Amino acid sequence: MRSRVIVKCRKRFEYFYEKIMEWFYSISYRTIPIKTPRNSLIEEYIIHESYAGESFVKDFLKERTSKAVTNRYCIKITTTQEPVEEKEYKRGNNTAIGKVRLLRKRCLIDEATLIIKNDDNNLIYWNFNK
């Protein structure tokens, strides 16, 4: 008999303890400001200066920046004067405009070339260097 009373009291105590902790975390989450968690992934765009001012490039970078904000990773955008290696990327209507590097904690994950398809819509895509 005594053990049943202890077990029932213990279950009720655990139940109330869980409810109190749920309320505590809920209130503290709403009232105490915490730093937003950030990912250590970085997309580094290196764009050739002749293409940096184009409207379709700005639109592309704006869209990538908005995606980065929602996914909590960083984007670095720089311009360069040195030409992109065009030996294998200038095929037909395709032109290389820059490079993209994917970094995590300053370690290079992968590198790709930014290529535009010179049609009516100037589509920008990545070509991974393998």
Side-chain angles (χ1 to χ4, degrees), residues 84-85 89 95-100 111-116 124-129:
V84 181
E85 298 174 9
Y89 301 112
T95 307
I97 62 168
K99 290 187 177 184
V100 180
E111 189 174 57
T113 304
L114 273 178
I115 298 177
I116 59 171
I124 299 176
Y125 62 95
W126 298 11
N127 185 9
F128 287 97
N129 305 331

Short mmCIF file of all heavy atoms in Angstrom, two decimals, residues 84-85 89 95-100 111-116 124-129:
data_model
loop_
_atom_site.label_atom_id
_atom_site.label_comp_id
_atom_site.label_asym_id
_atom_site.label_seq_id
_atom_site.Cartn_x
_atom_site.Cartn_y
_atom_site.Cartn_z
N VAL A 84 38.82 35.12 -65.72
CA VAL A 84 38.48 33.75 -65.35
C VAL A 84 39.03 32.83 -66.43
O VAL A 84 39.09 33.20 -67.60
CB VAL A 84 36.94 33.60 -65.26
CG1 VAL A 84 36.55 32.20 -64.85
CG2 VAL A 84 36.38 34.62 -64.28
N GLU A 85 39.46 31.64 -66.02
CA GLU A 85 40.00 30.69 -67.00
C GLU A 85 38.92 30.36 -68.02
O GLU A 85 37.94 29.71 -67.71
CB GLU A 85 40.45 29.43 -66.29
CG GLU A 85 41.56 29.65 -65.29
CD GLU A 85 41.88 28.40 -64.52
OE1 GLU A 85 41.36 27.32 -64.88
OE2 GLU A 85 42.64 28.50 -63.57
N TYR A 89 35.48 26.94 -70.69
CA TYR A 89 34.14 27.39 -70.33
C TYR A 89 33.50 28.27 -71.38
O TYR A 89 32.35 28.61 -71.27
CB TYR A 89 34.18 28.13 -69.00
CG TYR A 89 34.71 27.27 -67.90
CD1 TYR A 89 35.93 27.53 -67.31
CD2 TYR A 89 34.00 26.16 -67.47
CE1 TYR A 89 36.42 26.73 -66.32
CE2 TYR A 89 34.49 25.33 -66.49
CZ TYR A 89 35.69 25.64 -65.90
OH TYR A 89 36.18 24.83 -64.93
N THR A 95 29.49 31.80 -71.11
CA THR A 95 30.64 32.63 -70.75
C THR A 95 30.86 32.57 -69.25
O THR A 95 29.91 32.69 -68.48
CB THR A 95 30.39 34.11 -71.15
OG1 THR A 95 30.03 34.15 -72.53
CG2 THR A 95 31.63 34.94 -70.94
N ALA A 96 32.11 32.41 -68.82
CA ALA A 96 32.44 32.39 -67.39
C ALA A 96 32.53 33.82 -66.88
O ALA A 96 33.18 34.66 -67.49
CB ALA A 96 33.76 31.66 -67.18
N ILE A 97 31.85 34.08 -65.75
CA ILE A 97 31.85 35.44 -65.19
C ILE A 97 32.52 35.51 -63.83
O ILE A 97 32.75 36.60 -63.31
CB ILE A 97 30.43 36.02 -65.09
CG1 ILE A 97 29.57 35.20 -64.14
CG2 ILE A 97 29.80 36.12 -66.44
CD1 ILE A 97 28.28 35.88 -63.78
N GLY A 98 32.84 34.39 -63.23
CA GLY A 98 33.46 34.43 -61.91
C GLY A 98 33.57 33.04 -61.32
O GLY A 98 33.41 32.04 -61.99
N LYS A 99 33.85 33.02 -60.02
CA LYS A 99 34.02 31.76 -59.30
C LYS A 99 33.20 31.79 -58.02
O LYS A 99 32.90 32.84 -57.48
CB LYS A 99 35.48 31.52 -58.94
CG LYS A 99 36.34 31.21 -60.12
CD LYS A 99 37.72 30.82 -59.67
CE LYS A 99 38.56 30.45 -60.88
NZ LYS A 99 39.87 29.98 -60.49
N VAL A 100 32.88 30.61 -57.53
CA VAL A 100 32.20 30.43 -56.25
C VAL A 100 33.01 29.44 -55.44
O VAL A 100 33.42 28.40 -55.94
CB VAL A 100 30.77 29.86 -56.43
CG1 VAL A 100 30.10 29.68 -55.10
CG2 VAL A 100 29.96 30.74 -57.32
N GLU A 111 34.91 24.21 -55.18
CA GLU A 111 35.01 25.43 -55.96
C GLU A 111 34.29 25.21 -57.29
O GLU A 111 34.37 24.13 -57.86
CB GLU A 111 36.47 25.78 -56.20
CG GLU A 111 36.68 27.13 -56.82
CD GLU A 111 38.15 27.49 -56.90
OE1 GLU A 111 38.91 26.71 -57.51
OE2 GLU A 111 38.52 28.53 -56.36
N ALA A 112 33.59 26.23 -57.73
CA ALA A 112 32.84 26.12 -58.98
C ALA A 112 33.03 27.41 -59.77
O ALA A 112 33.43 28.44 -59.24
CB ALA A 112 31.35 25.91 -58.70
N THR A 113 32.73 27.33 -61.06
CA THR A 113 32.80 28.49 -61.94
C THR A 113 31.39 28.97 -62.22
O THR A 113 30.50 28.18 -62.50
CB THR A 113 33.49 28.10 -63.26
OG1 THR A 113 34.77 27.56 -62.96
CG2 THR A 113 33.67 29.32 -64.14
N LEU A 114 31.19 30.29 -62.11
CA LEU A 114 29.89 30.88 -62.44
C LEU A 114 29.84 31.10 -63.93
O LEU A 114 30.71 31.76 -64.50
CB LEU A 114 29.72 32.23 -61.74
CG LEU A 114 29.17 32.22 -60.35
CD1 LEU A 114 29.12 33.64 -59.81
CD2 LEU A 114 27.81 31.60 -60.29
N ILE A 115 28.82 30.58 -64.56
CA ILE A 115 28.70 30.66 -66.02
C ILE A 115 27.34 31.25 -66.36
O ILE A 115 26.34 30.93 -65.73
CB ILE A 115 28.85 29.27 -66.66
CG1 ILE A 115 30.23 28.72 -66.33
CG2 ILE A 115 28.63 29.32 -68.15
CD1 ILE A 115 30.48 27.34 -66.81
N ILE A 116 27.33 32.15 -67.36
CA ILE A 116 26.04 32.65 -67.85
C ILE A 116 25.77 32.04 -69.21
O ILE A 116 26.68 31.80 -70.00
CB ILE A 116 26.00 34.19 -67.95
CG1 ILE A 116 27.08 34.73 -68.86
CG2 ILE A 116 26.08 34.82 -66.60
CD1 ILE A 116 26.95 36.20 -69.16
N ILE A 124 22.22 32.19 -64.96
CA ILE A 124 23.50 32.00 -64.27
C ILE A 124 23.46 30.65 -63.56
O ILE A 124 22.52 30.34 -62.85
CB ILE A 124 23.75 33.11 -63.24
CG1 ILE A 124 23.80 34.47 -63.93
CG2 ILE A 124 25.04 32.86 -62.48
CD1 ILE A 124 23.94 35.64 -62.98
N TYR A 125 24.52 29.84 -63.75
CA TYR A 125 24.58 28.55 -63.07
C TYR A 125 26.02 28.25 -62.69
O TYR A 125 26.95 28.91 -63.12
CB TYR A 125 23.99 27.43 -63.94
CG TYR A 125 24.69 27.19 -65.25
CD1 TYR A 125 25.66 26.21 -65.37
CD2 TYR A 125 24.37 27.92 -66.39
CE1 TYR A 125 26.30 25.97 -66.55
CE2 TYR A 125 25.00 27.70 -67.58
CZ TYR A 125 25.97 26.72 -67.67
OH TYR A 125 26.60 26.50 -68.86
N TRP A 126 26.19 27.24 -61.84
CA TRP A 126 27.49 26.82 -61.36
C TRP A 126 27.97 25.63 -62.17
O TRP A 126 27.21 24.74 -62.49
CB TRP A 126 27.43 26.36 -59.91
CG TRP A 126 27.03 27.36 -58.91
CD1 TRP A 126 26.51 28.60 -59.12
CD2 TRP A 126 27.09 27.20 -57.51
NE1 TRP A 126 26.24 29.21 -57.95
CE2 TRP A 126 26.59 28.37 -56.92
CE3 TRP A 126 27.52 26.18 -56.68
CZ2 TRP A 126 26.52 28.55 -55.55
CZ3 TRP A 126 27.43 26.36 -55.33
CH2 TRP A 126 26.95 27.53 -54.76
N ASN A 127 29.28 25.60 -62.47
CA ASN A 127 29.90 24.44 -63.09
C ASN A 127 31.04 24.02 -62.17
O ASN A 127 32.04 24.72 -62.06
CB ASN A 127 30.42 24.79 -64.48
CG ASN A 127 30.95 23.58 -65.22
OD1 ASN A 127 30.80 22.47 -64.77
ND2 ASN A 127 31.61 23.82 -66.32
N PHE A 128 30.86 22.88 -61.50
CA PHE A 128 31.88 22.42 -60.54
C PHE A 128 33.11 21.94 -61.27
O PHE A 128 33.02 21.24 -62.26
CB PHE A 128 31.32 21.32 -59.64
CG PHE A 128 30.35 21.85 -58.63
CD1 PHE A 128 28.99 21.81 -58.86
CD2 PHE A 128 30.81 22.42 -57.46
CE1 PHE A 128 28.10 22.30 -57.95
CE2 PHE A 128 29.93 22.93 -56.53
CZ PHE A 128 28.57 22.85 -56.76
N ASN A 129 34.27 22.33 -60.78
CA ASN A 129 35.54 22.01 -61.40
C ASN A 129 36.01 20.64 -60.90
O ASN A 129 36.56 20.52 -59.83
CB ASN A 129 36.58 23.07 -61.03
CG ASN A 129 36.12 24.46 -61.38
OD1 ASN A 129 35.35 24.64 -62.30
ND2 ASN A 129 36.56 25.45 -60.61
#
